[in-house]
Amino acid sequence: MHPTLTKLFLVLFCVAAAFSSSTHGIGTGTGTHGVGTGTDTSSSAAGCVPHEREALLEFKAGITSDPTGQLASWRQDGDNQDCCSWRGVRCSTHTGHVRELRLRNVQANNITFIDHRETALVGQISPSLLSLRHLVHLDLSVQELQGPTDRIPEFLGSFKKLKYLNLSCVPFFGRVPPQLGNLSMLQYLDLSQSYVILSSSGAHLSSIDLSWLARLSMLRYLNMQSVNLALVVDWAHAVNTLASLRALCLSWCSLQSANQSLPHHNLTNLEEIDLSHNDFVQPTTSCWFWNITSLRSLNVGRSSLYGPPPNSLGGLKQLRVLIFSLNSMGTITPSMRSLCNLEVLDLRDNFLHGDILEMLPRCSPNKLTELHLEGNNIRALPKLIGEFLNIVILDLSNNQLTGPIPAEIGRLSKLDYLDLSNSQFAPRQEKKNPAHWTYTF
């Protein structure tokens, strides 16, 4: 089994390794996408505002289970009067108003698989939070928190100053409330769902209309992974209104088409797109996103696309990650050879045949570090593979490779993982592989 795609593989998953606030620099400063919430609010010289302290205690009263003691410091006895010192609460250093609630599940980023429900806060999202009128950052992700009707509370659309809202992996039911469109200052929105939660609780979040997105003119990051959007026919037009958008994840959304006609696209800042695991069933050339020249990462794996990408792919000069796995490409467009910034290329299981050099960037220097071509119909490993000196992962397993392994592969000094299994190479050539490689034949 090949290793997980590593450097710059920006697939957006919500469980354990989601695009967290630390990854994107979203919080009290700026980072990858430059989303900030103002000045440092980790403590307050002014002390917390009394009615805001009461609102937080009312929120805590709606929590029926706190297995990790995440809210243990939320008390008003002894030395705990200052709610700005409570865990997960950050206030303005000047006014004492609560500006941030960072209540992400404490085990959400654990690299080992765990059942997050065992560490989650359980209870209701209390409307008492409306008293926090200065709130700019709200993170309730990977918790078992819901509104009174097990839906996303409509009152969340009343936080006029909110810039960051993360409700990922919360097991909501029903429709995404269009009231979220009232958050005109919002820069980060994560409503992504978890397979663990979906399969175990039957929770299901959906939307039939995304027109409310047009009111989020400052939005830079949007993740709606696993939200059912099967009935949204104009989703691309809704996304196209977000001129500030830099990262978009609509994977596993049951989208039915990506061939919307966009005579003029406003997405001049868009760097990352994940539309994987959808049901497009259309020619690759008909997709609307090939002209977005600002793209750095594009994932359309397992989206039922067929045929090679258009020649306009060659215009994506900033592209670093291209994932087109488990589609039906068949042949390669020559424009791929001009993608000189490409670092990760995943074309596995695409019925590809012919010379693999026609599939790879031919640039100097060549930046490619990961190449996944497993499960195709490639017959030869050319000597020129030795020119790709930055390759760390090379997977050509389950092809129809024959003949000797070219000696030039020994030039790949950075190679850490090599898989040529299910091929017909001459056994004597295996001795040429340096001992530090991890390889499979």
Side-chain angles (χ1 to χ4, degrees), residues 120-153:
L121 294 172
V122 179
Q124 298 289 318
I125 301 176
S126 172
S128 67
L129 294 182
L130 287 173
S131 295
L132 310 179
R133 294 186 298 107
H134 298 271
L135 200 65
V136 296
H137 184 116
L138 178 60
D139 188 346
L140 303 176
S141 57
V142 203
Q143 304 284 17
E144 292 282 309
L145 299 173
Q146 297 176 316
T149 59
D150 294 334
R151 299 172 181 264
I152 296 179

Side-chain angles (χ1 to χ4, degrees), residues 138-417:
L138 178 60
D139 188 346
L140 303 176
S141 57
V142 203
Q143 304 284 17
E144 292 282 309
L145 299 173
Q146 297 176 316
T149 59
D150 294 334
R151 299 172 181 264
I152 296 179
E154 295 180 359
F155 68 75
L156 292 180
S158 300
F159 291 98
K160 300 300 184 181
K161 297 183 179 182
L162 205 62
K163 295 182 179 181
Y164 180 107
L165 178 60
N166 191 342
L167 302 176
S168 62
C169 302
V170 180
F172 292 116
F173 290 80
R175 300 283 171 82
V176 176
Q179 286 83 355
L180 295 182
N182 296 332
L183 303 175
S184 59
M185 302 293 290
L186 203 63
Q187 299 179 34
Y188 182 109
L189 177 61
D190 193 339
L191 303 176
S192 58
Q193 299 289 285
S194 160
Y195 287 113
V196 175
I197 293 174
L198 288 172
S199 61
S200 61
S201 69
H204 187 73
L205 194 60
S206 65
S207 181
I208 61 173
D209 179 16
L210 293 179
S211 61
W212 53 272
L213 286 175
R215 290 177 279 154
L216 304 181
S217 61
M218 300 180 68
L219 198 65
R220 299 186 181 188
Y221 175 93
L222 175 63
N223 189 348
M224 297 182 70
Q225 175 186 296
S226 298
V227 177
N228 192 322
L229 303 178
L231 299 180
V232 181
V233 296
D234 59 347
W235 66 270
H237 293 90
V239 170
N240 193 42
T241 64
L242 304 174
S244 297
L245 197 65
R246 295 191 179 185
L248 171 69
C249 178
L250 297 178
S251 62
W252 299 93
C253 288
S254 300
L255 295 171
Q256 303 296 307
S257 175
N259 65 352
Q260 290 88 344
S261 176
L262 300 177
H264 175 73
H265 78 80
N266 298 313
L267 303 173
T268 56
N269 295 300
L270 191 58
E271 298 178 356
E272 306 165 20
I273 295 181
D274 186 350
L275 298 175
S276 61
H277 296 84
N278 281 297
D279 306 312
F280 296 140
V281 194
Q282 66 187 68
T284 304
T285 54
S286 64
C287 296
W288 58 267
F289 45 75
W290 295 112
N291 293 321
I292 303 178
T293 57
S294 56
L295 281 182
R296 294 176 177 234
S297 176
L298 174 62
N299 184 354
V300 287
R302 200 187 285 267
S303 291
S304 301
L305 295 172
Y306 56 87
N311 289 331
S312 55
L313 170 62
L316 306 185
K317 303 298 185 181
Q318 304 302 314
L319 201 62
R320 299 182 183 180
V321 177
L322 176 59
I323 302 171
F324 201 88
S325 55
L326 295 140
N327 287 300
S328 299
M329 183 181 292
T331 58
I332 293 292
T333 173
S335 60
M336 193 173 293
R337 299 178 65 178
S338 64
L339 300 179
C340 292
N341 283 303
L342 201 63
E343 298 183 18
V344 175
L345 178 60
D346 186 347
L347 301 177
R348 77 187 76 173
D349 295 305
N350 260 288
F351 303 100
L352 292 173
H353 57 273
D355 187 349
I356 67 171
L357 293 181
E358 295 298 322
M359 310 172 192
L360 307 180
R362 301 300 301 276
C363 310
S364 182
N366 196 292
K367 298 182 179 181
L368 201 64
T369 61
E370 297 190 20
L371 178 59
H372 299 265
L373 293 174
E374 58 266 35
N376 287 295
N377 298 312
I378 299 169
R379 296 182 178 276
L381 183 59
K383 294 181 179 180
L384 289 177
I385 194 67
E387 294 182 358
F388 295 84
L389 300 179
N390 289 308
I391 286 282
V392 176
I393 296 173
L394 177 59
D395 195 337
L396 284 160
S397 59
N398 296 294
N399 277 283
Q400 300 181 33
L401 299 170
T402 60
I405 299 176
E408 286 77 6
I409 203 170
R411 298 179 57 199
L412 305 181
S413 60
K414 297 181 181 179
L415 192 61
D416 184 62
Y417 181 92

